[in-house]
Amino acid sequence: MASEIYAVGGSAADRASIQAALAAQPEISVQLFESSTAFLAQAATLAAGIAVLNVGGDTTATLTALRSAAHLSPLVIVPSGNITAALQAMKQGAVDFVEKPFTATHLADVVATILAWADDGDATTRAEAAETAMSRLSEREKIVLKGLLEDKPAKAITTALQISPRTLEIYRASILSSLGVISLADALRIAFPGKLFA
């Protein structure tokens, strides 16, 4: 099992919080990189693992560079509630995201899930499950979900679909219920591998 974690960029406190959150996990080693530049300079020679990237000015370039490093799975840390940043990161190749501030348990759970995907080829199963979940949504629900995840104003969505704000809220609740999630962040984890943005 790949158990190397690379905490990249952000402040020293950001990297330390990632290291502290994962310190109690058996068989996980955390290496800290002050910048994406320092990390990318060594990426080709690093062992397989997860690159935990703090969203910042160089995130796009880092994710682009990591496309050629298949042995490293990018996980991004985004500000709480910033679904747009998470969506952009996933479009650029991130395998998942964690909202900051995060609990040690949540980060450890996400890391364990990514390691399991890498260990047993579970990415295909994840994609199939996401596609099945997305198939439960009507075409209009998919349009609403895409608009919400792209952070479009409610007025733009209601105008485009010719629905009332109340109907939009009903759609939102129905979408979350159909996907079995409680937040748009969780919906994104299904929508992206479920090919909503394909």
Side-chain angles (χ1 to χ4, degrees):
M1 172 195 276
S3 57
E4 297 294 324
I5 308 298
Y6 308 103
V8 181
S11 68
D14 289 336
R15 294 187 300 277
S17 68
I18 293 166
Q19 187 172 36
L22 299 173
Q25 301 303 310
E27 299 181 19
I28 287 184
S29 169
V30 180
Q31 292 184 46
L32 307 180
F33 290 87
E34 188 173 320
S35 69
S36 296
T37 304
F39 172 69
L40 290 173
Q42 297 182 41
T45 61
L46 296 173
I50 300 172
V52 182
L53 310 172
N54 284 284
V55 168
D58 59 354
T59 304
T60 299
T62 305
L63 287 169
T64 300
L66 285 177
R67 287 185 187 149
S68 63
H71 67 293
L72 298 170
S73 300
L75 167 66
V76 296
I77 307 291
V78 300
S80 182
N82 193 339
I83 300 302
T84 304
L87 174 59
Q88 289 307 316
M90 291 184 83
K91 283 181 175 180
Q92 294 163 355
V95 295
D96 208 340
F97 66 95
V98 173
E99 293 180 280
K100 183 168 84 173
F102 53 81
T103 65
T105 302
H106 180 64
L107 180 61
D109 288 347
V110 172
V111 165
T113 299
I114 295 170
L115 291 173
W117 296 337
D119 196 39
D120 61 353
D122 204 27
T124 302
T125 305
R126 175 187 183 217
E128 289 169 354
E131 287 178 38
T132 299
M134 290 301 296
S135 73
R136 292 192 292 262
L137 301 181
S138 70
E139 287 307 310
R140 279 179 82 83
E141 287 175 324
K142 290 176 185 176
I143 292 168
V144 168
L145 179 58
K146 191 171 184 179
L148 292 171
L149 292 175
E150 290 175 338
D151 205 24
K152 290 185 178 172
K155 185 161 181 73
I157 298 169
T158 59
T159 301
L161 293 176
Q162 298 180 343
I163 58 176
S164 71
R166 176 70 182 130
T167 302
L168 178 63
E169 285 306 309
I170 292 169
Y171 270 123
R172 184 182 189 279
S174 175
I175 290 164
L176 296 180
S177 176
S178 294
L179 295 177
V181 299
I182 60 171
S183 70
L184 286 177
D186 291 333
L188 175 57
R189 287 187 176 90
I190 295 170
F192 198 81
K195 300 185 179 172
L196 180 64
F197 297 95

